[in-house]
Amino acid sequence: MDKVYLSYNTIVSAYGLDSASAISQIKQGVSSLKLTDDKNILPNPFYTSRLEDDIIEKAFAQLGPSEKMTQLEQLMAISLSKTIKASDIELNERVGLIISTTKGNIDTLESGNSFSKERAYLSVLGKKLTYFFGFQNDALVLSNACVSGVLAIAIAKRFVEQGKYDHVFVVGGDLVTQFILSGFNAFQALSDEICRPYCKTRTGINIGEVAASAFVTKDVQRLSEEAVEILGEASRNDANHISGPSRTGEGLHRSIQAALAQADLTPDAIDYVSGHGTATLFNDEMEAIAFNRSGLQDTPLNSLKGYFGHTLGASGLLETIIGMHSLHQNILFSNLGFQELGVSEPLNIIQKTTPTTLKTFLKTASGFGGCNTAAIFKKVN
């Protein structure tokens, strides 16, 4: 079976309009989360990471669009255009597109929005991006809560392995909207500080927005410097609760086990873990239990939520891309803001950005409805 790789990538975030800008700021320990007071979205001030409207509009205008696009579509198009250009391939019938999002164009349902309500349908989002870039196959839209980004990479890998496509582009994104913030606020899960995953003094979650894209291929001639091989991936659902994770970490543990088996690796072969780490009480505790059950309690672990906040359907893809660069640069990025372990099981939290030799990493994600996904990546160059 052909090896499958994750290659060219673009992160569009408050840090800048490319992956290098984000990596540079993360290495310096700079968070993109800012205190925001926007009563059109939430009555009280909140920490979030958002792009300025004029920056989005200017960057999108350079693409020469022929029709009006929503803000999310613009963000995804900006990111995807850069990744397509870097890959330098023709978008023929052997090229697929996967879109990862939790809520898509949910903001078109809000009062005062100029787009039709039908624009909120995920299928319409898929059609708009397919048409904009000229893909010859319909886009697959994955909306499986917060595991969507990692799952999109996994599905792209399977498509290439099975011969459905030679190459697949994956793009993920979600916006900071009134609908999303009000939902997490109703759970009393929003933090009034920058989030601190796995930390005893954490006070909750922050929500951020990005668009991220990557190129999945079997063509070894089209690999970026930071390209990784996708060794194994798996998804399991513990069906515990609509919003609460399994108290035993069952689904995540089984995902990790299955991904390790597919990769033909043991836990001690994993150099570091990029966790989900939302900085909420039940999620962090569940992950700690799952990692211990999986024999990963001593493996260096971080969550990147302190840099971007939780970017929902984009988070898994975004954090995988950062993991790729972490391997390439042989550096472990700190779990920003961590002070003292706040879970019942031991974890090896990365407290300081540290140079070290790296070869493999595990990316995990968990989400509403009990969904869990794990993927293992290996450095190529």
Side-chain angles (χ1 to χ4, degrees):
M1 185 177 292
D2 291 327
K3 294 181 178 179
V4 182
Y5 305 94
L6 192 63
S7 183
Y8 299 104
N9 55 87
T10 307
I11 297 170
V12 173
S13 70
Y15 288 124
L17 304 182
D18 53 38
S19 298
S21 297
I23 299 301
S24 174
Q25 293 297 296
I26 290 170
K27 286 173 70 173
Q28 296 177 53
V30 177
S31 176
S32 67
L33 291 162
K34 307 295 182 185
L35 185 62
T36 303
D37 189 1
D38 185 347
K39 291 181 171 53
N40 292 321
I41 298 180
L42 205 64
N44 303 316
F46 57 97
Y47 274 91
T48 189
S49 176
R50 301 173 73 185
L51 287 90
E52 298 293 336
D53 291 348
D54 59 340
I55 293 176
I56 299 172
E57 292 170 2
K58 182 178 179 180
F60 182 66
Q62 294 176 356
L63 302 182
S66 57
E67 66 172 293
K68 188 177 180 183
M69 302 279 269
T70 68
Q71 189 174 58
L72 178 61
E73 291 161 3
Q74 290 181 38
L75 280 175
M76 288 185 169
I78 294 165
S79 175
L80 191 53
S81 65
K82 293 174 181 285
T83 301
I84 292 173
K85 182 178 181 180
S87 72
D88 191 30
I89 65 166
E90 177 187 353
L91 299 181
N92 58 32
E93 70 280 355
R94 299 296 302 163
V95 180
L97 173 63
I98 299 178
I99 299 170
S100 164
T101 186
T102 296
K103 286 300 177 185
N105 286 317
I106 193 68
D107 56 315
T108 61
L109 299 179
E110 296 175 2
S111 60
N113 195 285
S114 60
F115 291 91
S116 67
K117 305 302 182 186
E118 287 73 21
R119 203 62 170 253
Y121 291 132
L122 295 177
S123 59
V124 176
L125 171 62
K127 290 176 181 177
K128 291 296 180 183
L129 288 177
T130 298
Y131 174 78
F132 183 84
F133 287 101
F135 282 90
Q136 296 187 23
N137 300 288
D138 291 339
L140 171 64
V141 182
L142 285 176
S143 182
N144 191 13
C146 299
V147 309
S148 301
V150 181
L151 186 60
I153 297 170
I155 298 301
K157 166 183 169 285
R158 297 175 200 178
F159 279 165
V160 173
E161 284 180 337
Q162 296 163 7
K164 181 175 177 64
Y165 298 120
D166 294 328
H167 319 281
V168 179
F169 289 95
V170 180
V171 62
D174 270 301
L175 299 180
V176 174
T177 67
Q178 182 182 32
F179 180 92
I180 290 171
L181 284 179
S182 62
F184 281 100
N185 196 41
F187 287 140
Q188 298 182 345
L190 290 179
S191 174
D192 57 359
E193 303 174 357
I194 293 178
C195 66
R196 296 187 294 277
Y198 310 116
C199 183
K200 186 176 182 179
T201 59
R202 66 191 180 277
T203 58
I205 197 171
N206 306 133
I207 303 299
E209 66 184 28
V210 304
S213 61
F215 177 59
V216 177
T217 184
K218 61 182 179 181
D219 187 348
V220 295
Q221 302 301 316
R222 298 185 185 277
L223 300 185
S224 61
E225 290 184 346
E226 67 278 3
V228 291
E229 181 184 350
I230 310 171
L231 294 180
E233 40 74 21
S235 296
R236 298 292 185 269
N237 194 301
D238 53 49
N240 178 73
H241 187 269
I242 191 171
S243 61
S246 165
R247 300 300 188 265
T248 64
E250 189 67 26
L252 181 56
H253 170 56
R254 292 192 182 195
S255 293
I256 294 170
Q257 281 188 313
L260 285 168
Q262 187 181 107
D264 194 24
L265 294 177
T266 55
D268 60 359
I270 303 299
D271 290 327
Y272 93 92
V273 178
S274 175
H276 193 54
T278 62
T280 54
L281 179 65
F282 291 125
N283 174 88
D284 290 5
E285 176 69 10
M286 179 278 291
E287 286 190 81
I289 293 169
F291 291 144
N292 274 261
R293 290 182 64 187
S294 302
L296 295 165
Q297 65 273 14
D298 296 323
T299 306
L301 164 71
N302 69 11
S303 164
L304 297 164
K305 300 297 191 293
Y307 297 96
F308 298 91
H310 191 350
T311 56
L312 306 179
S315 61
L317 177 58
L318 163 72
E319 292 160 11
T320 297
I321 291 170
I322 294 170
M324 295 167 63
H325 289 270
S326 182
L327 254 60
H328 176 63
Q329 297 186 26
N330 286 306
I331 187 167
L332 291 172
F333 298 127
S334 69
N335 190 101
L336 196 63
F338 181 84
Q339 299 169 356
E340 180 183 357
L341 191 64
V343 292
S344 65
E345 300 288 339
L347 293 173
N348 183 10
I349 304 297
I350 304 168
Q351 299 187 42
K352 182 180 179 181
T353 294
T354 309
T356 188
T357 301
L358 298 171
K359 185 178 180 181
T360 63
F361 82 98
L362 166 70
K363 175 70 197 126
T364 65
S366 301
F368 285 179
C371 51
N372 301 273
T373 301
I376 299 170
F377 304 90
K378 177 183 177 183
K379 182 191 297 184
V380 175
N381 300 314

